[in-house]
Amino acid sequence: MDIQLKRGLLDICVLSSINKEPSYGYQIIKSVSPYVEISESTLYPILRRLEETDCLTVTTDEYNGRLRKYYHITDMGKKRIAQFKNEWSEIVKIYDFIVKEEGSND
Amino acid sequence: MTKGAFLSELHKKLSPFLTEEDIQKTLEFYSEAIDDRKEEGMSPEEAVDAVGTPSEIANRLLDETPVTKIVKKKIGKKKNKAVWILLLLGSPLWIALLLAFFACIAAVYVVGAALLLSLFAVTFALLLAFPAGVVFAVVVAVSGEWPAAFVLFGLGLCAAGLGLFMFLLCHPAIKAAFRAAAFIPKYIKSLLVGKENEQ
């Protein structure tokens, strides 16, 4: 997928994966991977960026005798997901335009 | 690569550019990711391979890090009081040098813009020469000087031809100018970060 396109979508995907309940790094990758290619090296900068823009918070909890970081969504994060859903109809319009313009060249 | 080697390699690649705090957070994240994969049944080497290479990780992370953070880290390295005093004392010099540096960069942009504008002006003038040539040719023809009229008309045509050629040059010139303008800030950032490219 185009890098620029992917970048905006991945932020929302990551937020969605922690929307219902907090999650940790590897679990986020497992839940997003079926839909979009993502690895730790892509995920970590995204998590940092989302934390800096107050879309999520981080806690460190104990698990099986070691420490694990859990990511929790904030109200700001939920707002961003809602914003994306609202923008979806605009995205569909653009897609229709592209398909239409392509068709007229046949 | 073992987990220990991976983490120390990653630490080495990040330490010139990020604070120790940021680096520790990063190492914790990747250490956790490797442990989670090992728990799922991957071998230690597979787990380390799966999270990416230290170069890849460092490059992606530094791409996202704003220049200001990197500069802060490079300055903050020497928290020596003597160095700070020297910096303060020397500030008239390095502030002046910094201003001169940015003035030069601004000058480059201004010269570039001036060159571009000159190109447009010349193109426009040459293209205008054709209608001007026609008008003058007609005026001269009316007063009976046919040879002169033809010369004027011919000159007008030549100028218009040149003008059209320059017009064709304008578009690539604009594209090249914008690309050069975007290149300069990127170049400055890369001077600070100096990433190695593994291809």
Side-chain angles (χ1 to χ4, degrees), chain A residues 30 40-41 49 66 69, chain B residues 32 36-37 40 64:
Chain A
K30 280 197 287 187
E40 269 87 355
S41 58
R49 193 169 53 226
R66 57 186 173 99
K69 295 216 180 107
Chain B
E32 193 189 294
D36 284 334
R37 281 183 152 87
E40 288 233 327
E64 300 268 350

Side-chain angles (χ1 to χ4, degrees), chain B residues 40-54:
Chain B
E40 288 233 327
M42 282 194 194
S43 75
E45 290 83 42
E46 280 176 345
V48 171
D49 284 339
V51 300
T53 67

